[in-house]
Amino acid sequence: MPIIILFVLVDCNSFFASCEKVFVPRLWRRPVIVLSNNDGCVVARSPEAKALGIPMGIPFFQIRHLCQRHQVACFSANFELYASLSHRVMLCLRQWSADMEIYSIDEAFLKLPPIEEGEMETFQQNLIQTVFRWTGIPVSVGIAPTKTLAKAANHLAKRLPQHHFTLTTPESWRTYLPQIPVEEVWGVGRRTVKTFQQRGIRTAWDLSQMDPLAIRREFSIVLERTVRELCGECCLELENQPSPKQSIQVSRSFGKKLQTLEELEHPVATFLQSALEKLRRQKSYATAVYLFLGGKSATMKTENWGTTPFSTGTTVELARTSDDSLEVLPQVLKSLKKIFVPGISYTKAGVTLLGLTSTPFPDKYRMFQSLEQNQQEDAHREKHRQLMATLDQLHRQLGKRSVHFAVEGLEQEQDWKSRQEWKSPAYTTRWEEIPKVR
């Protein structure tokens, strides 16, 4: 039997909806949907909900009656629960291969050691059964000699009752790639799809028959690699260590309209602290912060009052690269005061950390200071560094609201948070919400 090295893509099925079912057995055969911020739109559907014809992204108010009629279980997004269960799934997958790339919260690539072709069926069945037994999450498995083909195999696996599929031979590529629309091919963007379709490239097989060099000249080296990978040529290796993010954004829509500067300071400070904590986690530093606000302003039309969308933003240039909340927060709040416009009903806000670097560049005015001033400043910043490390550790051990800045507001002052009328408990991360068996 021939021995080959393969890529395996493991993808959790309807992940957010599946997470909601894990600790509630009565939901296992019921349709389940998960809603976005403020319970606005559908962001996840169980297979039963898909069978009812509920589309992805549809506003909830448009299907409320359908959900009531078919007893659809509705949940507000519970990312704390989803992240915890994702971590458990990834730990489970590592027993199959230490050479693994976590691609997203619900997907991972594995690179297997040499395996006989006759053992693939047993391997896939064991992997699917083990993940479900250990975590309660159903997964689909696609196997192929390249990452792009593994993605295609996984796409086909989701249609099958056994939830696994292999694309390991040129014969299988000729048979099954014509069944995959070109828009489903990994690495093909929306704009590119339109161009491909105009030229008659409608399936993954059509794309695989294109000249890679011509694709590179007209489009990009990324698409050239996609074509080569569809032909079985391995161009993409696993990324065992995820690349540092080039920017970090935290934004939310509010659960109610905010009118005053003081009310806006609470969410902006909370978003900024969350972004800086993520920045410290990846050991990077920011050179600037972009702050944006969105809302509605009242307008008068002849006899009726209406509303006009409003948005504004500003970039805060930092004197030096920083990951220090105590240093960055006052500068951002100062800029917030400058762009705040009275009379606006603010409905959302966000911050984006820009110009991320792994090198802590010094203050650009440092060269004009005396040696003693620089030493004092270094000692001061070392205290801040230790304080931020302690704060992050407390958040990991006790929760993000265990210790926070006063400007973030007390619990009763955080009524701006997104509406989550149907949020499930944090079954795996909070002692007080652990399920009890009676």
Side-chain angles (χ1 to χ4, degrees):
M1 299 291 287
I3 295 179
I4 54 179
I5 295 178
L6 298 168
F7 289 93
V8 181
L9 176 63
V10 182
D11 186 6
C12 301
N13 300 334
S14 305
F15 181 56
F16 292 173
S18 296
C19 289
E20 298 294 352
K21 291 187 175 189
V22 169
F23 296 97
V24 190
R26 67 177 181 273
L27 297 178
W28 285 356
R29 297 190 183 279
R30 275 184 61 186
V32 172
I33 62 172
V34 178
L35 304 175
S36 62
N37 288 335
N38 280 325
D39 296 335
C41 301
V42 175
V43 295
R45 307 156 296 161
S46 69
E48 299 84 358
K50 294 176 183 178
L52 292 175
I54 298 176
M56 182 71 82
I58 189 171
F60 177 64
F61 74 87
Q62 295 183 14
I63 59 168
R64 183 184 293 271
H65 295 302
L66 175 68
C67 293
Q68 292 173 347
R69 186 164 63 250
H70 293 280
Q71 295 185 317
V72 178
C74 305
F75 290 92
S76 305
N78 186 347
F79 295 110
E80 186 176 353
L81 173 65
Y82 308 153
S84 175
L85 290 178
S86 171
H87 180 65
R88 295 184 180 203
V89 170
M90 300 309 166
L91 286 178
C92 179
L93 293 179
R94 287 197 183 278
Q95 71 159 326
W96 301 98
S97 175
D99 199 4
M100 183 173 92
E101 174 188 341
I102 299 176
Y103 182 65
S104 68
I105 192 172
D106 62 345
E107 290 180 277
F109 286 101
L110 307 177
K111 191 171 185 180
L112 294 182
I115 182 174
E116 292 188 3
E117 191 169 356
E119 298 177 353
M120 289 185 197
E121 181 84 12
T122 302
F123 163 78
Q124 292 173 96
Q125 292 175 352
N126 288 342
L127 190 153
I128 292 171
Q129 292 169 5
T130 301
V131 173
F132 185 77
R133 185 167 59 248
W134 287 13
T135 69
I137 302 295
V139 298
S140 295
V141 177
I143 294 183
T146 71
K147 291 171 73 174
T148 304
L149 281 172
K151 270 276 194 178
N154 193 282
H155 175 79
L156 295 167
K158 289 183 179 295
R159 306 177 184 177
L160 304 175
Q162 66 269 29
H163 293 299
H164 61 76
F165 198 79
T166 58
L167 284 174
T168 55
T169 64
E171 291 76 16
S172 65
W173 306 338
R174 283 193 292 269
T175 302
Y176 294 105
L177 289 184
Q179 300 178 20
I180 302 176
V182 70
E183 59 265 27
E184 297 293 341
V185 175
W186 188 40
V188 177
R190 292 182 181 179
R191 295 181 179 178
T192 310
V193 167
K194 294 181 180 180
T195 304
F196 282 165
Q197 291 177 340
Q198 291 171 355
R199 301 183 184 184
I201 305 172
R202 302 186 181 279
T203 68
W205 175 253
D206 295 336
L207 182 58
S208 70
Q209 299 307 294
M210 300 299 294
D211 179 8
L213 294 180
I215 290 291
R216 177 176 182 171
R217 285 193 298 268
E218 185 170 356
F219 295 98
S220 67
I221 189 173
V222 173
L223 276 176
E224 178 201 4
R225 291 170 180 165
T226 298
V227 173
R228 293 185 183 278
E229 289 238 327
L230 287 173
C231 296
E233 180 182 343
C234 184
C235 302
L236 302 171
E237 288 295 335
L238 293 187
E239 297 181 11
N240 301 90
Q241 295 295 328
S243 303
K245 295 181 179 179
Q246 300 303 307
S247 64
I248 296 176
Q249 182 182 88
V250 177
S251 64
R252 293 288 185 277
S253 295
F254 304 143
K256 70 170 191 176
K257 296 176 182 178
L258 304 183
Q259 306 283 347
T260 68
L261 177 62
E262 183 181 3
E263 287 179 316
L264 271 176
E265 285 180 339
H266 299 324
V268 168
T270 301
F271 299 161
L272 181 61
Q273 168 56 17
S274 178
L276 288 169
E277 192 166 336
K278 293 179 182 179
L279 183 72
R280 293 191 289 269
R281 196 179 305 143
Q282 76 168 29
K283 299 181 180 179
S284 296
Y285 304 86
T287 58
V289 180
Y290 180 70
L291 167 67
F292 63 91
L293 305 172
K296 296 180 179 180
S297 61
T299 58
M300 188 174 67
K301 303 176 184 177
T302 59
E303 298 178 357
N304 300 322
W305 283 89
T307 56
T308 301
F310 172 87
S311 63
T312 185
T314 185
T315 300
V316 183
E317 299 286 347
L318 304 178
R320 70 179 188 99
T321 56
S322 179
D323 63 356
D324 184 354
S325 300
L326 291 170
E327 183 177 281
V328 178
L329 186 54
Q331 299 181 58
V332 172
L333 293 179
K334 184 178 179 181
S335 294
L336 173 63
K337 294 179 181 179
K338 293 180 180 179
I339 66 173
F340 173 77
V341 179
I344 301 295
S345 296
Y346 292 95
T347 58
K348 61 182 177 181
V351 296
T352 306
L353 305 182
L354 303 171
L356 305 191
T357 175
S358 59
T359 305
F361 293 110
D363 192 317
K364 56 187 176 183
Y365 301 113
R366 185 180 178 90
M367 62 183 296
F368 301 108
Q369 298 178 160
S370 66
L371 178 61
E372 183 179 356
Q373 287 176 317
N374 287 335
Q375 289 175 341
Q376 291 176 349
E377 191 174 277
D378 290 342
H380 179 71
R381 287 173 176 165
E382 176 59 23
K383 289 181 180 180
H384 277 208
R385 187 194 65 78
Q386 295 176 3
L387 181 59
M388 291 298 102
T390 303
L391 179 63
D392 294 344
Q393 183 177 2
L394 289 172
H395 285 175
R396 288 192 297 270
Q397 295 177 348
L398 304 176
K400 288 193 174 183
R401 291 293 295 170
S402 56
V403 180
H404 57 272
F405 292 94
V407 72
E408 294 182 58
L410 301 174
E411 201 66 41
Q412 60 269 28
E413 294 174 316
Q414 293 217 328
D415 57 353
W416 51 265
K417 289 186 175 180
S418 301
R419 292 189 302 273
Q420 294 180 309
E421 296 181 24
W422 303 293
K423 186 178 179 182
S424 55
Y427 296 108
T428 60
T429 53
R430 298 186 185 183
W431 286 106
E432 66 273 16
E433 297 183 13
I434 290 178
K436 300 178 179 62
V437 179
R438 296 179 180 177

